[in-house]
Amino acid sequence: FHDYDLIIVGAGFFGATVAERAANQLGKRVLIIDRRSHIGGNAYSENDRQTGIEVHKYGAHLFHTPNRTVWDYLSRFTRFTDYRHRVFTSYRNQVFAMPINLGTICQFFGRQFSPDEARALIAAQAAELEGRVPRNLEEKAISLIGRPLYEAFIRGYTAKQWQTDPRDLPESIITRLPVRYNFDNRYFNDPYEGLPVDGYTAIFKRMLDNPLIDVQLATDYFAVRQAIPSDKTVVYTGPIDRYFDYRAGELKWRTIDFQEEVLPVGDFQGTAVMNYADEDVPYTRILEFRHFNPERDYPADRTVIVREYSRFATRADEPYYPVDTLEDRRTYLAYRKLAEEETGVIFGGRLGTYRYLDMHQAIGAALKSFETEVSPRLIGAERAA
Ligand code: FAD
Ligand code: NA
């Protein structure tokens, strides 16, 4: 560890971005370690052995951003396809476009509506609470989109996501439920969207392709921590509660179980993501990975699908979505205080800051952290030496 100017824990987008900047911009020697056997963090993907189809191993990853700086930055390491994400939902043996749009409304209520008619209909249905403050997620959702659409598209899906009746979930989980009063069924509104032409893992290979950067996989920070000199700058993107030995309590997460299957059909569902809104279907959605890359030459007689099951995480599970109750917020603030006192260690990324971050947000946060925290420290160490 003595040879390095910077030690980074975690080879996901946050860690890889900081490593790339420190090496390419400042010429610093970087060691990046990850306890997994691969780079890429949760954005990691690999090609299925039987079919060659690229599978995102930690759930579907769609790149989209409103941030030109992040788009330009990532474009140094990949080209993007013109993929535009769309999501459908299966409900009572029918298929509807998500997010709820005019097409969904016409189909669901069984007739044509103009945008103004649809607005008036949803407003009337959303008035059910008569101005009363929503007391739980169900009431909040009804106040936003009315009961019929809530019961069809939100109730079962949310109950499965949280393994909890929406009447027992806090209203604060949802702040808005987008309804589009036109026929636009693109999932994201961002000006920049696409999938990496050569897949996600190639991005990380290129970011870390510098003789100044060493990558050590299958290495847990806590197993090697004693050997790292105490004056080294460390960027830590693992779970913040784990770093402090859970001394202020455990931060809660949800996880997803992925059930992957290769099927002997050329096209299983005709689209990349099909949500399942019915509560009696145990999974929340099915991904079919070939549809993310229609430009590729994939086999015509086989396909890879993944069913997703959502549940609360234990310490042994992969943490995916922060549960983020008021208690979690308090716990996190206690860790934030400890982190500030931990000089020489910069906490970043989704696990290090207990936040759900999209990829573009993780990259944006890393670029900012590099500029305001990492770079000044590395340059300061240079001056002191
Ligand atoms: P991570 O990618 O989690 O990287 C952290 C790394 O630290 C991991 O590789 C981990 O192994 C390593 N680590 C942790 N502890 C230790 C330790 N003790 N020692 C060594 N290494 C350690 N974003 C989008 O923009 N679009 C999407 O469609 C999208 N879909 C998603 C779907 C799911 C199911 C999930 C969970 C996330 C999704 N995201 C999506 C978010 C995206 O995965 C994150 O933005 C991104 O992973 C954040 O990067 P990160 O570096 O902060 O964390
Ligand atoms: Na710190």
Side-chain angles (χ1 to χ4, degrees):
F1 298 105
H2 288 273
D3 297 344
Y4 299 99
D5 302 303
L6 178 63
I7 313 284
I8 298 178
V9 182
F13 266 120
F14 194 97
T17 300
V18 174
E20 184 281 325
R21 290 288 72 205
N24 289 332
Q25 187 179 312
L26 298 180
K28 296 297 179 188
R29 294 220 54 188
V30 182
L31 176 66
I32 181 163
I33 66 174
D34 203 297
R35 68 173 165 204
R36 292 176 176 166
S37 58
H38 59 73
I39 54 176
N42 278 356
Y44 172 73
S45 69
E46 63 186 32
N47 296 344
D48 168 63
R49 265 198 217 101
Q50 292 180 52
T51 61
I53 294 172
E54 180 182 353
V55 175
H56 307 164
K57 295 313 264 188
Y58 302 89
H61 275 67
L62 292 311
F63 192 83
H64 60 95
T65 183
N67 186 332
R68 177 76 197 255
T69 306
V70 167
W71 178 259
D72 288 345
Y73 174 73
L74 208 55
S75 296
R76 296 188 209 172
F77 311 104
T78 185
R79 289 186 296 126
F80 287 98
T81 68
D82 58 8
Y83 179 81
R84 298 291 174 263
H85 194 44
R86 290 188 165 76
V87 172
F88 295 88
T89 195
S90 161
Y91 171 66
R92 293 198 180 161
N93 214 22
Q94 253 291 1
V95 174
F96 299 87
M98 291 286 114
I100 297 169
N101 61 66
L102 199 46
T104 321
I105 291 170
C106 291
Q107 186 183 350
F108 185 76
F109 293 105
R111 74 165 179 86
Q112 182 169 5
F113 287 85
S114 71
D116 283 344
E117 287 170 342
R119 256 190 214 99
L121 173 78
I122 303 309
Q125 294 180 344
E128 183 182 318
L129 292 192
E130 297 176 319
R132 195 160 51 70
V133 177
R135 286 170 307 197
N136 54 49
L137 189 148
E138 174 163 304
E139 292 189 354
K140 180 68 178 282
I142 290 171
S143 78
L144 293 168
I145 61 169
R147 186 177 290 276
L149 291 175
Y150 160 73
E151 286 185 346
F153 299 121
I154 310 294
R155 183 170 67 190
Y157 195 79
T158 307
K160 288 191 286 186
Q161 264 184 321
W162 292 92
Q163 297 176 286
T164 306
D165 188 312
R167 285 169 294 195
D168 297 327
L169 288 167
E171 52 87 30
S172 58
I173 289 179
I174 45 171
T175 47
R176 45 190 290 276
L177 285 172
V179 174
R180 293 195 191 138
Y181 294 102
N182 58 38
F183 288 94
D184 176 11
N185 67 353
R186 263 183 68 178
Y187 198 71
F188 300 117
N189 291 316
D190 291 330
Y192 307 104
E193 180 179 355
L195 289 172
V197 166
D198 320 298
Y200 278 99
T201 305
I203 299 181
F204 292 90
K205 285 194 183 136
R206 292 185 195 120
M207 290 177 87
L208 302 175
D209 179 23
N210 182 320
L212 293 171
I213 302 175
D214 285 337
V215 180
Q216 207 172 300
L217 297 173
T219 304
D220 192 312
Y221 172 66
F222 299 104
V224 299
R225 180 188 206 177
Q226 298 309 325
I228 299 174
S230 59
D231 61 342
K232 286 283 170 214
T233 298
V234 172
V235 170
Y236 175 83
T237 72
I240 191 167
D241 53 355
R242 169 69 185 91
Y243 184 93
F244 293 106
D245 250 325
Y246 304 104
R247 79 176 78 144
E250 211 162 322
L251 292 166
K252 289 187 285 309
W253 294 83
R254 282 187 298 127
T255 193
I256 297 172
D257 295 318
F258 299 108
Q259 193 186 82
E260 187 175 324
E261 252 183 289
V262 178
L263 300 177
V265 294
D267 194 349
F268 172 74
Q269 63 183 12
T271 194
V273 177
M274 183 71 71
N275 291 349
Y276 281 83
D278 298 292
E279 213 170 333
D280 55 355
V281 176
Y283 38 86
T284 50
R285 54 184 199 169
I286 299 181
L287 313 179
E288 185 174 14
F289 279 96
R290 65 180 306 122
H291 294 294
F292 287 128
N293 298 101
E295 78 285 0
R296 290 185 192 163
D297 191 15
Y298 284 152
D301 58 349
R302 278 166 305 159
T303 197
V304 182
I305 67 162
V306 171
R307 288 187 171 82
E308 294 192 352
Y309 301 81
S310 179
R311 62 179 172 80
F312 287 102
T314 69
R315 255 186 224 185
D317 295 312
E318 292 291 349
Y320 284 150
Y321 299 103
V323 172
D324 213 13
T325 58
L326 281 176
E327 191 195 332
D328 288 317
R329 284 281 111 206
R330 275 196 293 273
T331 305
Y332 175 65
L333 285 179
Y335 285 122
R336 229 8 286 157
K337 277 225 176 67
L338 292 169
E340 275 153 26
E341 289 155 18
E342 194 79 356
T343 50
V345 180
I346 293 155
F347 293 81
R350 58 181 201 97
L351 301 166
T353 58
Y354 190 63
R355 276 188 299 168
Y356 178 81
L357 295 174
D358 270 329
M359 293 178 279
H360 70 95
Q361 295 169 315
I363 296 163
L367 291 172
K368 184 159 172 229
S369 168
F370 174 75
E371 238 168 68
T372 62
E373 304 178 279
V374 183
S375 169
R377 204 184 295 258
L378 294 177
I379 290 167
E382 197 174 284
R383 293 225 177 89

